Amino acid sequence: MILDDLLADGAPPIAAILRGVKPEEALDVAAALVEAGIRVIEVPFNSPDPLVSIAAMQQAFGDRALIGGGTVLTVEAVEALAGAGGRIMVTPNTVPDVIARGAELGLELLPGFMTPSEAFRAVEAGARRVKLFPAAQLGPAYVKAVKDVLPKHVGVWAVGGTGADTIGDWLAGGCEGIGVGGALYRPGDDALTVRARAVDLVAAWQRAKG
């Protein structure tokens, strides 16, 4: 399963960031997200036992959702992610060796950038999508400016301060999608709470796309 296929199938361009989720919570939270329609799920590597959560979610939902890891900082972490069955690799920064290793292993890549120079380095290393982070501090107008110089095939996602109240602004600014963390899940949130937020977020996306 690849992100292109999910989006073509009508899945919302939303990545759920489950920072701090524990393995014993992971399946219930992932089920809540998938039921609400969110089909891209990221467990950051600075969560408790992230590889355990990723492997369990991949086994349970890998046929319906793109499961992977975030805050991937080293080549060793990329290899561990692939070994756990993760399919998408998200980073907060632009490290060409990390991006290139993810590409070699066939992972979906979403490396983080802030400057145009970083975005171009990510693309040169093999990324077809890049993640503006932190996004809220820069705004949709910044995305428009960066997209003017990036290759047309490169998709830009916004992460950091994103949510139901801003998804329309980001999409209007030229983003392909957004990643949402605290507005969807915070450590300790139960699955019902996450599902309600996810339903609201998907509804906001539907309204934004008309």
Side-chain angles (χ1 to χ4, degrees), residues 9-190:
D9 193 41
I14 298 167
I17 304 167
L18 304 182
R19 190 177 307 279
V21 72
K22 297 176 181 177
E24 59 266 29
E25 305 166 318
L27 290 182
D28 286 344
V29 172
L33 292 166
V34 172
E35 288 167 7
I38 293 178
R39 297 173 64 191
V40 183
I41 303 174
E42 162 201 341
V43 179
F45 264 53
N46 55 0
S47 302
D49 297 316
L51 295 173
V52 176
S53 295
I54 291 166
M57 290 194 301
Q58 174 63 26
Q59 184 173 5
F61 304 106
D63 60 337
R64 288 170 282 169
L66 192 64
I67 309 294
T71 318
V72 178
L73 302 177
T74 65
V75 169
E76 291 77 15
V78 178
E79 294 168 347
L81 173 61
R87 296 295 307 127
I88 184 169
M89 181 193 89
V90 186
T91 76
N93 55 359
T94 307
V95 181
D97 288 348
V98 169
I99 299 166
R101 185 56 176 148
E104 288 171 0
L105 292 173
L107 300 177
E108 291 283 305
L109 307 174
L110 195 56
F113 82 98
M114 179 175 273
T115 68
S117 294
E118 291 171 342
F120 275 104
R121 281 202 298 273
V123 172
E124 289 164 2
R128 293 191 303 113
R129 292 178 169 90
V130 290
K131 177 189 86 172
L132 177 62
F133 176 79
Q137 286 73 10
L138 298 169
Y142 187 84
V143 173
K144 286 184 177 180
V146 172
K147 281 180 63 68
D148 281 345
V149 296
L150 283 177
K152 298 301 181 186
H153 72 277
V154 176
V156 177
W157 288 53
V159 177
T162 53
D165 56 339
T166 59
I167 186 170
D169 295 334
W170 291 112
L171 296 179
C175 282
E176 181 181 40
I178 65 171
V180 182
L184 265 180
Y185 172 82
R186 301 181 189 91
D189 287 343
D190 61 32

